[in-house]
Amino acid sequence: MTTAINVLGIETSCDETSAAVVRDGREILSNVVASQIDIHEAFGGVVPEVASRQHVLAMIPTIRRALAQAGVDWGDIACVAPTCGPGLIGALLVGLNAGKGIAFARHLPLVGINHLEGHIYANWLTGAVIDFPTVCLIVSGAHSDLVLMTGHNTYRVLGRTLDDAAGEAFDKVARILGLGYPGGPAIQKLAAQGDPSKLRLPRAWLEGTYDFSFSGLKTAVLRVAEGMDDQPGLTRADVAASFQESVADVLVTKTKRAAEEFGVRQVLLAGGVAANALLRSEMDRQIGRPVIYPPISLCTDNAAMIAAAGFYRFEAGFRSDFSLDAKANLPLA
Ligand code: KG4
Ligand code: ZN
């Protein structure tokens, strides 16, 4: 009989303090997320120093709750996997140092995880069978990367955003339209009442590459919003719907092209923007092969996805030592 491998994942790269216990990389025993969204909402976005201080307060109670909810003790944990980048440096340091402290005190192996790798591995928590090679679109508040995976923990970045990330564009456009933070869910809600065909917004195709650009689209929305009074038939909901359609159009078209070029069996979606209903339905409709995406709770930041990635790294023999440092711009590949 083989014994189960329980990984303790720790995530503090942005504004969620999270700890989770995942068994064998696929079964969530607990996934505690202490969100700071209410605190940052008042500022219209994440304030890094406020986030770091909040992580310090929430970290240890969150880890304790993760163990209790999983019904496990320290002796049942095989490995500690904290996020070590990319993200807000002060925020990252809290979770990484908590992980190092636990690894030292409990004599446990330490495996530092790239936050983007965590987003990708949320797909392994869905129960879906995933074959290599596979293409993964990671769209979050800070990243828009199209990645080819040829095996576990093996990445080739095919393209990335040259300016704003897709989630950042959602957040900025939400602000332009007078909506709250985070912008993605607010835009999706407003767009449901709008008609995207009333306004054609630009798409940056960047032909011949898998790169993205969303800053021109954001500027176009700003121009339209400033001139709204001159267009009586156009509502904020129409603008939100048209914006959402423009983002989804580019993301789906480029992902489909990559899936065809590399002959992959399925496509994975990851990151906060993968929670978007239009993006999901257009991917399902257009990609022409299975599209796997995590449930919404695993699309946004959480430690279960970090623990899942930690399991596959642990299995492959990766180990971090105590010199591991947090890196705000840690690359994936
Ligand atoms: O992955 P995530 O939780 O944090 C980062 O690692 O950045 O992503 C957060 C981003 C925010 O920009 C938020 O507006 C966006 O994901 N988001 C959405 C939706 N839900 C969250 N964007 C579009 N539609 C949504 N339903
Ligand atoms: Zn994230």
Side-chain angles (χ1 to χ4, degrees):
M1 196 188 85
T2 51
T3 42
I5 293 179
N6 297 324
V7 176
L8 172 67
I10 298 175
E11 157 63 33
T12 62
S13 69
C14 190
D15 60 343
E16 319 281 8
T17 316
S18 184
V21 180
V22 169
R23 177 170 290 172
D24 295 332
R26 302 199 66 131
E27 189 192 342
I28 299 175
L29 301 188
S30 65
N31 187 21
V32 180
V33 182
S35 178
Q36 306 176 6
I37 283 183
D38 294 351
I39 298 167
H40 298 285
E41 206 174 13
F43 303 99
V46 178
V47 183
E49 184 57 25
V50 173
S52 309
R53 284 163 190 258
Q54 203 55 36
H55 285 310
V56 171
L57 295 175
M59 188 75 270
I60 289 172
T62 301
I63 292 171
R64 286 221 168 97
R65 278 174 59 206
L67 289 180
Q69 283 184 17
V72 300
D73 216 329
W74 286 112
D76 303 313
I77 300 292
C79 160
V80 185
T83 301
C84 56
L88 302 171
I89 192 69
L92 285 165
L93 282 169
V94 178
L96 174 58
N97 284 314
K100 280 187 185 177
I102 291 166
F104 182 75
R106 300 281 168 185
H107 305 287
L108 287 170
L110 177 74
V111 178
I113 296 297
N114 182 301
H115 180 77
L116 298 179
E117 180 170 52
H119 273 302
I120 294 171
Y121 273 87
N123 284 287
W124 269 264
L125 295 168
T126 63
V129 175
I130 301 171
D131 297 314
F132 296 112
T134 189
V135 157
C136 182
L137 176 72
I138 313 165
V139 270
S140 72
H143 294 87
S144 304
D145 290 6
L146 196 53
V147 172
L148 178 69
M149 268 181 100
T150 49
H152 280 298
N153 317 112
T154 312
Y155 310 98
R156 186 172 138 206
V157 178
L158 303 173
R160 55 163 59 96
T161 183
L162 303 181
D163 39 58
D164 292 349
E168 192 180 356
F170 269 95
D171 294 335
K172 287 178 176 171
V173 164
R175 214 175 300 168
I176 293 169
L177 296 178
L179 305 170
Y181 172 85
I187 297 243
Q188 176 172 319
K189 196 164 161 222
L190 182 62
Q193 300 151 32
D195 176 359
S197 70
K198 285 214 208 143
L199 173 72
R200 176 79 183 173
L201 287 166
R203 283 118 170 98
W205 292 114
L206 305 174
E207 288 298 348
T209 76
Y210 286 117
D211 290 331
F212 304 103
S213 166
F214 296 107
S215 74
L217 172 61
K218 172 199 64 192
T219 308
V221 171
L222 182 62
R223 297 250 161 76
V224 171
E226 283 167 355
M228 287 284 281
D229 295 346
D230 307 328
Q231 301 184 62
L234 190 69
T235 64
R236 278 159 66 251
D238 298 332
V239 180
S242 178
F243 162 78
Q244 187 177 247
E245 194 181 78
S246 173
V247 174
D249 194 5
V250 175
L251 293 176
V252 172
T253 304
K254 294 222 167 195
T255 304
K256 182 175 162 74
R257 214 173 283 159
E260 284 164 0
E261 180 179 343
F262 296 99
V264 303
R265 294 275 292 277
Q266 74 281 300
V267 159
L268 314 181
L269 302 185
V273 181
N276 187 266
L278 180 75
L279 180 66
R280 288 172 176 230
S281 64
E282 285 305 303
M283 285 279 181
D284 281 336
R285 195 171 68 80
Q286 295 186 44
I287 290 287
R289 59 203 81 207
V291 179
I292 298 165
Y293 35 78
I296 288 172
S297 61
L298 296 178
C299 282
T300 48
D301 291 348
N302 68 89
M305 67 186 197
I306 304 297
F311 169 80
Y312 288 97
R313 282 211 171 260
F314 178 77
E315 281 285 277
F318 286 92
R319 299 290 181 271
S320 306
D321 62 32
F322 290 115
S323 68
L324 177 67
D325 210 353
K327 287 206 172 66
N329 298 314
L330 186 69
L332 179 64

